[in-house]
Structures are given as structure tokens and as C-alpha cells.
Amino acid sequence: MIRTIRQEEIRQSLELTQAAFAIRFSESDIEQRLPKLKMEQYLGYYVDGLLAAQLEILPLAIYVQGEKVAMGGIASVSSYPELRRQGMVGKLLVRSLAEMRESGQTVSMLNPFAYGFYRKYGWEYFSVQSVYTLEIGAAPKYPTAPGAVKRLRAEGWTEADAVYDKYAKRYNGMLRRDEDWWLNHVFRRKLGSLAVYYAAGSAEPTGYMLYDIKDRHMNMQELVYLDQESRNGLWQFIRNHDSIISRLKFTAPADEPFLFGMAEPKLQHELHSNFMFRIVDVAAFVKQYRFAEAASGSALHVSLADDHAEWNNGLWEITVSADGRAEAALLAGEASASGAISCSIQTLGAMLIGCQRPAQLANHGHLDGSAEAVAAWEQEIPRQISYMTDFF
């Protein structure tokens, strides 16, 4: 049986978490966690009246094409080792789709233990991140910035958020952070220091970085800037640490032109896959999505397959107006529309979130359709890529 875990079953949930992840909470740890857990967000799978598997649906929001979209973040997925491979987690994931749809969460994201497992249930990998590691002496030497960098404590989260929120709208999938998220997730997970850059002659923050220094290694957990001046100022601040650090590391979106700022681009550059994404409700998500603006409206067609959310299955007509707003309608019958593409829910999600372009997906056999149909989708989907700096 699947149902919401009751508040009085918190300790059962914590016992399952400890067994599934091979961790041990002290009694003080448990006492600290009890008031923070919101059991109405948890789904449990029960066997003979006992909790055997669980997951949490976090009520979050992300930016997609600059618009805030409700997102269900799947977390705390766990089951007892002796009860695994019986399909319980899969059934919880399927149930979560209906729960998220009912709650108006049109999309979902999760951090997978195995991409292949969650692909079976409609999630697809979300983005590629660049991870750079380099010697401090190789750091780019940008022109001197006229502004100032100030160190702030966690209470200064509003200064960082003023920068973050503008930056977040440039990418698809960035979380819309609130005070609770900053204080209880960002600063709790990303221990270290906060430095904020202020534009010259202004009290307006235009860049910030979260970082820590250990063993002469600076790890920049977030490096965010809105313009060239704030970029120059933060990198000047980084280089001024050359007496106490020898190496530095940071993560950036795939479109970051960092190498062009280096005199000698000699460094370690890794590409990491990051998170997974799923469309929960196609019709509702399309209504929130912003396609490319054009002189006149257009119509797109997709024959969509979703093995676990039957409301997404079928041939869809997406009518796009000149301002990029759209409506999706299921066409009756099994007949295919002229100019339609055919794909899975995973492929459609990867395409609309900006992880992969339609032509790329067609070239790799994940999307079927004529060259004209693929070109139509290429034209209508803005070239805004997916990226996220958070973790849950």
C-alpha cells in the first residue's frame, strides 16, 4: 500500500533512512531533525503495515525561459536493502507523478544514484557542467575593476540573492531560492565564506562567490557575476589570495567562455552530467513555457509516448502565438499529423529544458520526424541552456 507517511511515523522514516544509506543518527541528531521534517511531503510504501520504502516530494520552483514554474523535487528515495528489487520504489515514483500533477507541479527534478534506473520512469539527464581546476598563477588577468568586494555572513543572503535571481533567469532549471533555502540549504551545504561585488559608485551588488580554502586549495562553490565589471572584480579578488592558495576549482555552465580569458588555457577541464528532469504534465507545462517570438504564430505536432503518465500519451498539437505563449491540445484518434515528430517523454523534456537541441536528438535516433518537422522545433525552442547550482 502507498500513502502519505503520518507525522507520528517520523521515527520509522528516520530508521529507514539510516538503513538505506548506511548512516547512523545520534539521539541529538534525531531530536534536531524531528521538527524540520514535513511528513506531508513523504510517500511511503507499506508491507504488512510497516514502512518499507519512501520518497519525498519537495515543493520547489525553477526558472524556465525566465518564467517561474512549480517543480516537484524528488529526494530521500530509500528502501530497506533486504526488500529491494521488488518494484516498490518504481511504484512510488509512478504515484509521485499523479501527486505532483494534482499539486500543480508541472515538472520534476532529482539527483540520481543511477541514471538508467530513473530513465525507466521518464526522467532524463538534465545538464552538463564544466568543472575547472587550475593553478592560481594561470588564473585570468582581467582589467582592474573599479568596484568593491565585501565579505558578508549568512545574514547577507539578500545581497547574494539579488544577484542570483537575475543570473538564474538566464538558464533553465535554476531554483527560485527563498530565505529558508538560502539559510538552511545553501549555507548549510556550502560551508565557507561569502564575498559580494558591488558596482563602482553604487550600493548595488552585481556578483558574488561562495568559497572555502583548505590546504592551499580554493573551492569556489558558486561564482556568479552579471557583467564584465563584476567578473573582473571577483577574479581580481581571487588572484589576491595567491599568497595563501596554490590551486583553485570552480563549476560553471557549459556556455561559460572561461578559456578565452586565459593567456594560456592550460588546466583540467571536466564535463559532469548533473541531475535529471521530467515533464509531469505536458499540457500544463506547455502553457507555462515561452517559445521563440515570431512575426506570426505557428503549430507544432508531437506524437508522445509516456509509459507512466497516461495523460501525456498521444498526438499533441501545440499552438504557438507570436509572443511565444502556447497551448497544447490532444488530437483525437491515432492518425499522425503532417509534420509531426515522434519521441518519448524523456526526449521532449531534454529538448524543452535546453539540455539537447532537436537536431541533436534526431541525429542520435531519439526523435523521429522529417527534416522539416525537426527544423520547425529547432526554430521554436529558444537557445537557453539548462543549468543548476543547487543540490537536494
Side-chain angles (χ1 to χ4, degrees):
M1 178 180 71
I2 295 176
R3 63 168 171 82
T4 301
I5 300 177
R6 301 187 183 113
Q7 200 68 23
E8 61 268 23
E9 297 170 325
I10 288 182
R11 286 184 176 270
Q12 282 192 55
S13 174
L14 290 174
E15 287 173 8
L16 172 52
T17 298
Q18 293 177 87
F21 297 108
I23 55 178
R24 178 56 56 188
F25 299 140
S26 67
E27 190 59 32
S28 62
D29 290 334
I30 292 174
E31 291 300 323
Q32 289 178 2
R33 288 171 177 267
L34 289 179
K36 297 178 181 179
L37 292 174
K38 301 175 181 178
M39 301 317 294
E40 69 273 12
Q41 297 173 184
Y42 282 75
L43 283 178
Y45 191 104
Y46 291 81
V47 175
D48 297 330
L50 297 177
L51 183 63
Q54 65 182 351
L55 62 75
E56 182 181 11
I57 305 174
L58 296 168
L60 302 172
I62 60 172
Y63 286 116
V64 180
Q65 307 301 352
E67 301 286 333
K68 189 170 75 170
V69 174
M71 184 271 285
I74 302 297
S76 304
V77 180
S78 50
S79 63
Y80 282 106
E82 64 270 23
L83 297 176
R84 287 175 185 164
R85 295 175 179 85
Q86 297 183 33
M88 291 184 291
V89 169
K91 291 174 183 176
L92 283 172
L93 289 169
V94 174
R95 174 67 172 270
S96 76
L97 295 172
E99 297 283 336
M100 288 186 283
R101 187 189 188 209
E102 181 69 22
S103 299
Q105 294 160 338
T106 58
V107 297
S108 175
M109 295 179 68
L110 57 82
N111 187 32
F113 75 91
Y115 284 84
F117 176 81
Y118 289 100
R119 272 198 179 104
K120 295 184 296 185
Y121 298 98
W123 280 263
E124 184 52 86
Y125 95 86
F126 162 73
S127 73
V128 174
Q129 295 181 332
S130 288
V131 180
Y132 298 98
T133 305
L134 62 153
E135 302 295 324
I136 185 63
K141 299 178 181 179
Y142 293 115
T144 300
V149 174
K150 296 182 181 179
R151 299 173 188 266
L152 299 178
R153 297 183 182 276
E155 292 77 11
W157 71 270
T158 55
E159 301 290 282
D161 187 63
V163 179
Y164 169 86
D165 201 53
K166 293 176 183 177
Y167 179 81
K169 292 175 182 176
R170 299 177 179 179
Y171 297 96
N172 293 333
M174 292 281 279
L175 285 189
R176 174 63 190 102
R177 293 173 174 174
D178 58 14
E179 181 178 8
D180 176 73
W181 194 264
W182 273 102
L183 297 181
N184 295 313
H185 291 269
V186 178
F187 290 123
R188 186 171 65 85
R189 291 181 182 274
K190 300 180 179 183
L191 302 176
S193 303
L194 168 65
V196 178
Y197 181 87
Y198 294 85
S202 170
E204 179 186 4
T206 55
Y208 76 87
M209 56 185 285
L210 286 169
Y211 67 99
D212 67 82
I213 298 174
K214 184 178 181 180
D215 299 329
R216 297 187 59 81
H217 187 144
M218 176 184 281
N219 180 27
M220 291 177 279
Q221 294 148 336
E222 293 189 18
L223 177 61
V224 177
Y225 40 79
L226 300 180
D227 52 31
Q228 290 187 30
E229 181 188 326
S230 54
R231 177 203 65 187
N232 296 355
L234 287 173
W235 274 104
Q236 180 179 319
F237 176 75
I238 293 164
R239 289 185 62 86
N240 286 344
H241 287 77
D242 58 354
S243 64
I244 58 173
I245 68 170
S246 56
R247 290 173 66 80
L248 55 92
K249 181 179 181 179
F250 72 100
T251 301
D255 64 348
E256 167 62 51
F258 174 68
L259 296 178
F260 287 94
M262 301 180 68
E264 293 292 335
K266 296 178 180 179
L267 76 171
Q268 181 179 333
H269 180 195
E270 302 172 275
L271 296 178
H272 293 180
S273 57
N274 183 49
F275 265 75
M276 298 188 82
F277 174 83
R278 193 199 206 282
I279 299 174
V280 172
D281 188 330
V282 169
F285 179 56
V286 164
K287 195 170 184 178
Q288 297 170 315
Y289 195 83
R290 296 294 173 262
F291 289 87
E293 296 183 5
S296 60
S298 61
L300 299 169
H301 294 88
V302 55
S303 180
L304 189 62
D306 189 337
D307 293 336
H308 301 290
E310 71 280 355
W311 54 85
N312 291 330
N313 277 315
L315 179 61
W316 290 90
E317 181 176 70
I318 299 174
T319 305
V320 184
S321 61
D323 64 358
R325 297 178 182 272
E327 297 279 349
L330 270 175
L331 300 182
E334 298 294 328
S336 62
S338 174
I341 61 170
S342 177
C343 66
S344 67
I345 191 69
Q346 294 95 323
T347 294
L348 184 67
M351 191 162 61
L352 292 183
I353 202 63
C355 178
Q356 294 285 301
R357 297 299 302 176
Q360 290 175 307
L361 293 163
N363 287 339
H364 287 281
H366 295 290
L367 182 156
D368 293 325
S370 67
E372 293 76 17
V374 174
W377 282 85
E378 276 282 351
Q379 183 175 340
E380 292 291 350
I381 297 177
R383 292 185 175 273
Q384 185 156 303
I385 68 169
S386 52
Y387 181 61
M388 186 173 68
T389 58
D390 277 289
F391 178 88
F392 57 82

